Structures are given as C-alpha cells and as structure tokens.
C-alpha cells in the first residue's frame, strides 16, 4: 500500500520525486538561454580587450534557428509526460510512495503533496500542453531565417521563444495547482497558469478577434481572480491558516458562523470562471473564438481541469467533512449551478454558427456535467462513521468518473480544436462554412473530426460515451444509496432516490439536445460543397497530424479499452477522498 | 470455435473498416476505379455470412437443434472479459429469438447488393452496407447490455451516412432527424438500463460482476435473477419500479419499431434513403425495436407487461390503423410503403399485447416475414425510381403492358404484404387474429377492418400504376420518346430470390415458425407460468 514520505524542499531526493517539474524548469532555463547563445563579447572596461562570453551578439547557426524553441518545448513536455506516465503506471500497482513536502524544520506545515491524484492531474495538464506545443509548431510555423519572405513569417520567427516559454510556465503553474497542499500555493500556481493563458489567448494579435478575446478573457479573469482572492483572505481571517488539512479540520468544527460561507461563495466565483460554469462563462465564447485553436483547446481541457482541481480541494477536501447533516453545505447551490450550466451551454451551442463558439458552449455544457458529478460526490458526508461503505464507494465511483471524463476530454475536445487549427492555416474560422465539404477535400480528416464530434455527443464505443456513461452511472449509484433516516431522499417514481438522480436525467436530456449541433458539423463536412477558396485538400502538417493522431487514438482507445485508465482514475479518486 | 464473434460480427466489421480505411488513404482520383472491387469483396463476405448462417440453421454447423432452446438458454455462447471494473463482458450467443433475425440479416445483405448492383454509388457505399450488416449482427447476438447498447447506437452511423450521401433531395433533413430522434430515445433507454444495473442485488451478480461497481451488465445473469424472483412468487425490483423501467426501455424500442406516434422519423428516412439503405432499414433495423422488447423489458419485467397490456394494445392498434389510413392518402409510392411498415409493426405490438403464446409467435413470425417482404417492396420502389425517375403513384401507368417484370414484382410484393394466403405475410396475420380472438374476443373486428384498409390501399395503388392506362399514357419527364425500361438483370435476380423466400415461408412456415413456437412456449412457461 501507499506510504507517506516526508521531505523538505530542495533536500536530497526532492528533485527525483518531482522529476517532471524539474524537467520543466530546466526546459524553461534552456529556452531562455539556448537561443541567446552566440558570438557575443564583453569588453573589459578601460581597455580594448574583448572577451568572448558566448551570449548575445551574432547567434551560432545551430542556436539561431527559429525552430529551436519549439523543439525544446516539445521535448521538455514529452520527457515530463513520460516521467509522469511512468509514475502513474507504478502507482497503479500501489507500490508508489506518496510524497509530502513540508516547510523546512516543521513538518506540520504542508506545501506540496504528490499523490496518485496529483500525478494524474499533472499528466493531464502536461499531456494537453504537449499536444498544444506540437500543434503550435505548425500554427505559428517558424521559417529558416534565409527563407523569410513575408511579415507574417518574420513575426512567427520572432515570437517562437515567447510562445513556448508561455507554454512551459503554464505547465509549471498547472502542476503546482495539482500538487498544492496549501491554498496560497494553489493560488500562485493558478495565477501563473492563468496569466500565461491570458497572453496565449491574445497571442493571435494579427486578428482583431484575438486581441478582443484576449482582453475580455483577461478582464473577466482578473476580476474573478480578485473575487476568489478576497474569499481566500476571508478564509485566512477566519481560520488563521490556508493549509488544506488545517482548513478541513477547522471546517469540521464549524459553528454558527457566516464568514467561512461567504469565503466559500467568493471562491466558487473564482474557480467557476476557470471551469467556465454559468453564470461566469460569458468571456469563454469570445476567448475561444479569438484564440488560436490549439490555445482554445488548452482553455477547454487543461485550464478547465485546473479549475476543477481547485474545486476539488475546496469543496471535497476542505468543506466536505463538516457537521453531521449528511450532505455538503454547497450541495443545492452546486446542483442548481450544474443544471443551469449544462442547459445554458447546450442551448447556446445550438445557435452558434461559428464552430469555435459552438465548441466553447459545448465546453460550458461539459462543465455542467462535471459539476453535476461533483454535486453527487457531496451527497453523502464521508466523515461520518454512521454511514456504511456503500456511500463511500458511490462517492468514489462518481469522482472516478469525473476524473476519467477530464482525462478523455483532452483527447477529443483538443482533437476537435486541432482539426479546426489546421483549417486556420487557410484563414480565420468564423463560421461553419469553413468546414463545409471537408470530406471531399481530406476524407480522413473529416472522418477524424466526425469521430471527435460523436465522442463529444457521447456515441458508443468512443471514450466520450464511456465517460458520460460513467458519470451518469456514478450519479445514479449515489442516488440509489439507501441510507436509513437520511432526510435528503425524495420519492422518484415510488423509489427512494436522492434528488441528484434528476441531474442524471437532465444530463441525458442535454446529451440528446447536444447531438443536434455535433451532428450538424458532420452534415456540413459530408454534405455541403466546399466554400470558395477552400477547395483544395487541407495542407498536411507533420506536428499537428501527429497530435491529431494521438487524440484519435485516445478517443477510440479509451472508449474500447478503458479499463486501465479507469483503474488509474480510481486510485486518484481514492487518494483525493482519503 | 466462437463462430459468432469471429464470423458473424468480426468478419463484416473488420473487413468493412479495413476497406473504408483503405479508401480514406487512397488519393481521391483513384477511388472511383475501385468501386467494382469493393462491390465484389463486400458481396463475397456477405455470401460467406449467408452460407454460415444457413448452415447453422440446417444444423450442419454447430449441430444445433433449434427446437429445444428454452428461455434464457443460448447456443454457441461465448463470454470474454471486456471492461472488468464495470462488469462489462463481450458475451454472445444465439437462441430462437435472435437466430431468425441473424439469418435474415445475412440473407438480406447479399440480396440488397444484388438488387442495387448496377446503381452507381461510388466505392464507399459497399463497405458501408457491410458495416451496417456487421453492426446489426452485433445487436442481435449481444447478451450483455453494455455491448447491446454499443451496437444499437453503432447501427445509426452507417445508416446516417447511407442516407446523407446517397439519399434523395431532402436527405440532409432526413438523416439528421433519423439520427437525433432515435438517439434521443436510446439515451432514455440507456438511463433505464443503468438504473436496472444499479438496482440489481450485487450478491446475485455472479462472476462477471465488476470489481468497481459490484454489478454486471450480463443480460443472461440478470434474466436468470429476475426469473428466479418471479418463480418464487416475488416481483423483481418491485411493481412500481418494474413499470417505470419498462416505460423507459419501451420508449427506446417503440421509437425504433416505430409505433405511432413516434414514427415520424421513418417516412422521412425511408423516402430519402437509397434503395439498399431502405431495404436494410425496413428489413432488419426496424426489427431491432421488436427484438429489443422481447430481449429486455418483456424478459425482465413480465408484471409490467401485464400492467401495460392495454397500453401496448393501444399503441399497436393506433399504429396499425393510423399507418393504413395515411397510406390511403399517399401519392408517393415509397412513402406509402414506409407507412405500411408502421402499420405492420403495429401487428407485432398487438401480438405482444394479446399475451398468448400464439400471439408472441405471431409477432416473431411477423418480424421475420416482414423482413423478407418489405425489402421486396422497397426494391420495387427503388426500381421504379431507377427506371422512371419518379416516385409518384401514377407517374407511370399501364406497367402490365409494357413492363411485365416490374409489374409482376410489384404485384407479388403488394399481395404478400397485404396478406395473401400461401405467402409469408398471411401466416403472421392469421396467427395474430387467432391470438387476438383468444385474448379480446369480438374486438377482433378492429384489426380485421384495419387489414381491410391495407388491402384497399395496396389494390388502389396497383390499379393506378399497373393496370390503368396503357400505350396512350404520357411517360414521365425524361423518358419521352425512349423505350420504356423494365427491370435489369440484377434486379430480376433479387426479386426472384425475395419472391422464392416469400413463397417458401408462406407454404412451409414451420421452417421458421416451429422454433419460434417452441421458444414462445418456454417464454410463457417461464414468465407467465404457462398459457
């Protein structure tokens, strides 16, 4: 079984336990240093002697290549990803130690913790960023310096390092969120990743939509961060600590106080923005439509998962073991939010002609499904000894489903955005005419896109079906738990089912609505004639093709053979619920 | 050897997916040249399936005696682990309920291809038809609810493309409506299946139970548990829950069947679908609904069947009468045939509602007979459209004079469908009327009159196309001054095959009816304690 290992920051073995982050940090340094290596010299003051110091000046032919940052970031992220997958697979047979980082000299002050849960989330973040890095090598393609003919190519060469540095800082911030055992550390990670993503959204500065989307995303994002931070400070005012386990302890002895509840509500706003839950989702469609598609994919997958991690920490770890009422205090609030989010997202997606906006709203709807699952976790209070194992098992099942959904979402949501990213090479994607006739232009690409759409809609045997099925099954399982004397159950069709069952029903109905707009993409691709100017085969690009291929393998593979991933998610869920 | 997984399901699906992948990788300019090769490969595979299933039927393969298979008893049964944490297995098997449907699918696949041999559809069409056949096979052999649902939804995808790519003018609307309508009903069914799954007693789930959920999707084990409960005088899951789940599951199946008022996707899909798609859609895909009813809700919730007997009767009767009356008013030949399917599917529901073994047998035989006759009707419609470029009844008149083949096929098909004695349709209708008399007495006048309307619309449309007019009639637009075409060779062959099958099962119904009859006897003994 797992054992807890305590280490101090930067002590012996620390870098081994956090190998992925170390690799990311090294990659970041390399990214700054390597492209600057050149024949730079340093004049000794007062003399004419110039000493070479290999920095700046005329670059070497190897280090001056504009494609170098892209390779560094892809390799860095790939190495980190493989290290994490290795960790996960060993976690799978329960032989992996959990690592806890505490303050120097005081092991009650927790900073970071590496558990199966955080490893899974790290792998998710880095995997998503790896796909983005691969695709952005094509999206912002570098050109060998001699062949630069246009202003656009020059721009792209100049911003290679910026782009990939931002991707790596984003990765570092996200992994910090996954590892954080302290809300302050979590917030720092959240902001690091958040600011990187604000810039990435606005990165497409040639397009006025890019700047507009980036600006909106930044404004709303910083406002919601501010609100969340205020909630955090109120929580600190109340408990005197921001450490997760200490807060959980404080919450379990909560009395008739208003302060922590206000803090909880304010923090929900902050994280609600990150997962694009209604009513904090208004910036999302503009941001997704304005950003380059790979970055929009990043927002829809990794960034959303990061928000979910924050919600897990606050809702499941801190506030769940509270009182003896049986269910979490936020249960009704979150359930209503989930219902509104999924319905709103789906109805808005129905009317979106722009495929990127459609995917943005579908991402809002998926946030609703995730929050419905989260609501179901809160139905039974795990801290109470009076409940039998059934409630605990049900909560674990639904959390497993949620984690599985987050992971496979990276495959098909990102995949869909990457396909649109390929089309962006030919010009902006503003409406679904850009997709029309794709089947005649590039049949394999069209079939791949259709598979992603079907997976988003939840058609078997794709992973989107399995994840939706797992979530619905989890909610039904939670609702069917029979706990004597629980006042929360209501009679549904003469059966004692908890009201969260209605969230499963709503999810099913929403899935049915969503088929309409996902299918429309398929119809447009296979039925309509190609738009004017878009009638040649889509130019094939190596990196994006590899990334889309990986997404396709994930979409089909995890659907047909989802067992290993379910096991990994299950370990992660068990680790989070403790 | 696991013939079902390898040959019946694996072979068509793997081959068709490989062919589709091959076509996708091929440069677009080369694709049209491969059409005849694709057609040949898929035809050979369909023939293999037909030979294998026929050998199974005759007992020479697997040495199966189809007359002795009892309720919840399967032959050629194989089970492999699939998603162990959820208790999902790859579980296949055949019984007297599923085998006629499997044989029908294997029979119709080559016939469909023969009937549309000369239609210029392009290379992708043939592998899609094969994929369609493979997924249909998968539905009928699944004995695991998860697997069943997967194949159930997978059938939508090839059909969606068949309609979308090769359909009529309104194909875009029809394909989307078809997909969304049936998918919506299926997800409600899925929620019902999941609820059944979780309401099982984990202690009784057996070996296949998932280590994660403690329950299993295995339909055989589930049916066994339900049956044991009922045998001891209890009610599986309680009376109220049975009713709720029965309604949720039946919703999915009624839409697929389709029963009025859930039938509106069918005329659109049928009228727009290409002939091959229509033949498989009417021949096999509609039967998925009826098959599912027998396989899941009736087998698990017999008490709910009794509770809802009147409602099922009402659905059946409304479908029968409404379908027939709408047929009377149709001017579009294919739409008329589509509505006649709605009407005939009502007969299946009436058979279930009668709650007689003979009524169940009538329903099963109706599924089978309609599966042979309706493809012939759609083949006739397809040939009509193919040669006369119109679907309007009366666009071409006096066919008896100038196009004897198409006129004869049409007349034969129409007569079989309206229930002429010695043809397959008659057996089912006769059995149904017997069961209906036994169950409801003089109310038999209802379906009796409705069947008379059936005769009316068929005869009327025949009069307007085959007999009226002659040389003096104006040919439809596009055919002026040209010789009036008749069926071509491949269409003739397909019509002959279908006609022979119709006559064969009309004169010797016991070829299929015996196994259905034996099966329904055991169903009744198990579910309702004997007739």
């Amino acid at each position: 079984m797992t054992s807890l290992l305590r280490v101090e920051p930067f002590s012996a073995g620390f870098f081994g336990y956090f190998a992925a982050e170390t690799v990311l940090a090294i990659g970041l340094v390399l990214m700054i240093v390597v492209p600057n290596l050149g024949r730079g010299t340093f004049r000794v003051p007062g003399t004419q002697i110039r000493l070479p110091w290999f920095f700046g000046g005329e670059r070497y032919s190897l280090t001056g290549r504009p494609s170098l940052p892209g390779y560094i970031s892809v390799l860095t992220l790939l190495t980190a990803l493989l290290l994490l997958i290795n960790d996960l697979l060993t976690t799978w047979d329960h032989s992996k130690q959990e690592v806890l980082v505490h303050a120097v000299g005081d092991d009650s002050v927790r900073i970071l913790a590496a558990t199966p849960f955080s490893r899974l989330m790290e792998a998710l973040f880095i995997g998503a960023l790896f796909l983005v890095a691969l695709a952005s090598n094509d999206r912002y393609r570098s050109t060998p310096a001699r062949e630069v003919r246009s202003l656009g190519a020059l721009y792209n060469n100049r911003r290679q390092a910026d782009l990939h540095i931002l991707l790596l800082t984003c990765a570092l911030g996200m992994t910090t969120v996954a590892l954080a055992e302290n809300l302050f550390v979590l917030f720092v990670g959240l902001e690091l990743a958040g600011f990187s993503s604000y810039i990435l959204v606005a990165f497409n500065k040639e397009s006025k939509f890019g700047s507009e989307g980036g600006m909106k995303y930044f404004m709303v994002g910083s406002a919601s961060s501010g609100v969340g931070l205020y909630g955090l400070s109120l929580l600190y005012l109340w408990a005197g600590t921001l450490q997760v386990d200490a807060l959980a302890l404080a919450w379990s002895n909560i009395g008739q106080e208003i302060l922590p509840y206000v803090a909880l509500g304010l923090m929900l706003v902050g994280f609600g923005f990150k997962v694009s839950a209604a009513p904090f989702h208004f910036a999302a469609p503009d941001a997704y439509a304005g950003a380059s598609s790979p970055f929009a994919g990043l927002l829809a997958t990794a960034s959303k998962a990061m928000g979910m991690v924050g919600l897990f920490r606050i809702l499941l770890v801190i506030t769940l073991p509270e009182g003896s009422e049986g269910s979490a205090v936020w249960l009704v609030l979150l359930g209503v939010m989930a219902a509104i989010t999924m319905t709103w997202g789906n109805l808005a997606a129905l009317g979106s002609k722009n495929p990127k906006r459609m995917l943005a709203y579908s991402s809002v709807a998926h946030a609703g499904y995730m929050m419905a699952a989260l609501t179901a976790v809160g139905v039974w209070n795990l801290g109470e000894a009076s409940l039998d194992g059934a409630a605990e098992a049900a909560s674990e099942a639904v959390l497993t489903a949620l984690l599985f959904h987050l992971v496979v979402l990276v495959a098909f949501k990102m995949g869909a955005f990457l396909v649109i990213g390929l089309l962006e090479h030919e010009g902006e994607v503003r409406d679904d005419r850009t997709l029309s006739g794709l089947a005649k232009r590039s049949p394999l690409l069209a079939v791949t896109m259709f598979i992603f759409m079907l997976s988003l809609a939840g058609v078997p045997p794709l992973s989107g079906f399995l994840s939706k099925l797992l979530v619905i099954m989890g909610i039904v399982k939670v609702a069917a738990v029979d706990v004597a004397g629980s006042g929360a159950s209501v009679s549904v069709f003469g059966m004692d089912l908890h009201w969260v069952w209605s969230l499963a029903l709503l999810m099913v109905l929403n899935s049915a609505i969503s088929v309409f707009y996902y299918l429309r993409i398929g119809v447009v691709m296979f039925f309509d004639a190609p738009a004017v100017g878009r009638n040649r085969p889509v130019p094939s690009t190596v990196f994006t093709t590899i990334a889309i291929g990986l997404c396709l393998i994930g979409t089909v593979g995890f659907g047909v053979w989802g067992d290993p991933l379910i096991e990994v998610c299950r370990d992660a869920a068990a680790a989070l619920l403790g | 050897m696991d013939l079902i997984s390898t040959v019946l399901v694996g072979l068509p699906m793997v081959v068709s997916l490989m062919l589709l992948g091959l076509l996708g990788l091929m440069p677009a300019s080369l694709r049209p040249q491969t059409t005849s090769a694709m057609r040949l490969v898929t035809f050979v595979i369909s023939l293999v399936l037909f030979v294998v299933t026929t050998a199974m039927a005759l007992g020479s393969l697997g040495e199966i005696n189809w007359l002795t298979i009892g309720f919840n008893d399967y032959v050629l049964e194989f089970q492999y682990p699939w998603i162990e944490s959820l208790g999902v297995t790859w579980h296949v098997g055949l019984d007297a309920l599923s085998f006629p449907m499997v044989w029908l699918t294997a029979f119709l696949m080559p016939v469909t291809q023969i009937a549309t041999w000369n239609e210029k559809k392009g290379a992708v069409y043939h592998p899609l038809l094969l994929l369609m056949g493979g997924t249909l096979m998968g539905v009928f052999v699944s004995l695991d609810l998860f697997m069943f649902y997967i194949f159930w939804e997978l059938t939508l995808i090839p059909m969606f493309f068949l309609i979308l790519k090769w359909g009529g003018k309104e194909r875009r609307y029809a394909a989307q409506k078809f997909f969304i309508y049936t998918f919506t009903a299926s997800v409600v069914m899925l929620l019902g299946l999941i609820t059944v799954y979780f309401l099982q007693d984990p202690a009784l789930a057996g070996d296949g139970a998932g280590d994660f959920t403690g329950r299993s999707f295995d339909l055989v084990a589930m049916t066994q548990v339900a049956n044991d409960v009922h045998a001891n005088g209890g009610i599986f899951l309680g009376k109220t829950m049975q009713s709720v789940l029965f309604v949720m599951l039946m919703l999915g199946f009624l839409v697929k069947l389709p029963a009025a008022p859930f039938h509106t996707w069918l005329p659109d899909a049928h009228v727009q679908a290409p002939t091959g798609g229509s033949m498989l859609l009417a021949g096999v895909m509609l039967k998925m609904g009826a098959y599912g009813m027998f396989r899941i809700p009736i087998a698990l919730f017999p008490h709910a069947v009794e509770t809802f007997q009147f409602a099922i009767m009402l659905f059946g009767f409304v479908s029968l009468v409404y379908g027939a009356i709408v047929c009377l008013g149709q001017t579009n030949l294919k739409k008329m045939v589509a509505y006649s399917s709605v009407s005939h599917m009502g007969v299946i529901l009436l058979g279930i509602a009668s709650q007689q073994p003979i009524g169940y047998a009538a329903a099963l035989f109706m599924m089978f007979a309609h599966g042979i006759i309706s493809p012939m009707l759609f083949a006739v419609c397809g040939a009509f459209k193919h040669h006369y470029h119109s679907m309007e009844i009366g666009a071409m008149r006096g066919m008896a004079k100038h196009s004897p083949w198409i006129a004869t096929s049409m007349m034969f098909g129409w007569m079989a469908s309206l229930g002429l004695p010695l043809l397959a349709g008659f057996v089912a209708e006769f059995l149904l009327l017997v069961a209906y008399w036994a169950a409801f007495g003089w109310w038999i006048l209802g379906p009796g009159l409705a069947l008379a309307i059936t005769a009316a619309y068929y005869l009327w449309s025949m009069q307007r196309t085959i007999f009226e007019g002659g040389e003096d009639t104006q040919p439809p637009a596009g055919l002026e001054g040209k010789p009036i075409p008749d069926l071509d060779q491949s269409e003739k062959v397909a019509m002959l095959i279908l006609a022979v099958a119709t006559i064969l099962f009309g004169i010797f119904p016991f070829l299929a009816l015996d196994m259905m009859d034996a099966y329904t006897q055991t169903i009744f003994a198990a579910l309702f304690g004997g007739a």
Side-chain angles (χ1 to χ4, degrees), chain A residues 327-374:
Chain A
S327 32
V329 59
W330 39 261
L331 188 69
V332 177
L333 178 67
L334 206 67
V336 171
M337 260 172 87
I340 293 175
T341 304
M342 65 174 96
T343 316
W344 192 332
N346 269 319
L347 293 182
L350 275 180
S352 305
K353 275 284 178 190
N354 180 346
K356 284 165 84 177
R357 285 186 89 86
M358 185 278 276
L359 283 173
Y361 279 118
S362 110
S363 162
V364 173
H366 277 267
Y369 303 152
M370 294 178 201
M371 286 167 70
L374 202 55

Side-chain angles (χ1 to χ4, degrees), chain A residues 32 37 80 142 153 174 179 181 193 245-246 255 257 293 296 310 363 379 386 413 443 470 511 530 565 578:
Chain A
I32 297 169
L37 293 180
S142 59
M174 285 177 172
L179 293 167
E181 271 292 291
D245 59 338
E257 294 164 88
S293 286
S363 162
V379 168
S386 63
K413 188 63 142 255
L470 282 169
S511 299
L565 186 59

Side-chain angles (χ1 to χ4, degrees), chain A residues 443-444 447 526, chain B residues 12-26 31 38 41-42 122-132 157-158 161-162 166:
Chain A
L444 278 188
V447 169
F526 287 93
Chain B
M13 290 200 66
V14 169
V15 171
S16 57
L17 287 177
M18 273 168 53
L19 291 180
L20 287 173
L22 200 68
L23 285 170
L25 291 171
M26 199 176 276
R31 244 175 271 145
M38 291 289 158
V41 172
T42 50
V124 187
Y125 176 77
H126 302 282
L128 270 181
L129 270 188
L130 190 65
L131 184 65
M132 182 81 217
I157 294 169
F161 280 109
L162 282 174
W166 295 282

Side-chain angles (χ1 to χ4, degrees), chain B residues 296-316:
Chain B
I296 305 172
I298 293 178
L300 292 180
F301 310 125
H303 287 270
V305 182
E306 283 167 352
T307 313
F308 289 105
Q309 184 182 7
F310 184 73
I312 299 172
M313 199 272 278
L314 211 59
F315 271 115

Side-chain angles (χ1 to χ4, degrees), chain A residues 135-197:
Chain A
S136 34
N137 275 334
D138 287 329
R139 182 68 184 84
Y140 294 101
R141 191 199 309 260
S142 59
T143 325
R146 273 176 214 151
E147 293 167 25
V148 172
R149 296 277 180 277
S150 66
L151 208 55
L154 189 66
Y155 277 157
N156 278 346
N157 278 359
R158 288 254 177 116
R159 59 190 172 188
Q160 286 295 317
D162 309 2
L163 166 64
H164 290 285
I165 286 174
L166 284 171
L167 288 180
L168 290 190
T169 50
C170 196
L172 265 179
M174 285 177 172
T175 50
T176 310
V177 171
L179 293 167
E181 271 292 291
N182 184 309
L183 288 186
F184 180 73
V185 178
L186 189 141
F187 194 80
V188 170
L190 199 72
E191 286 303 287
L192 180 58
F195 272 92
S196 311
S197 60

Side-chain angles (χ1 to χ4, degrees), chain B residues 68-77 79 91-98 141-145 204 217-230 291 294-296 298-300 518-527:
Chain B
T68 54
I69 301 174
F71 174 63
N72 207 23
D73 201 5
Y74 305 92
V75 293
L76 297 177
E77 195 181 346
Q79 192 169 15
H91 192 172
V92 294
L94 287 173
D95 65 358
L97 172 60
S98 54
V141 300
S142 300
L143 294 178
D144 182 282
L145 289 179
L204 299 173
F217 275 108
D218 190 3
L219 186 60
V220 179
M222 213 179 275
T223 312
Q224 189 59 47
V225 170
N227 205 22
D228 288 346
V229 174
H230 295 137
Y291 168 81
F294 281 105
R295 182 59 87 209
I296 305 172
I298 293 178
L300 292 180
Y519 181 73
T520 49
Q521 300 287 349
T522 63
I523 287 195
F524 260 78
L527 295 181

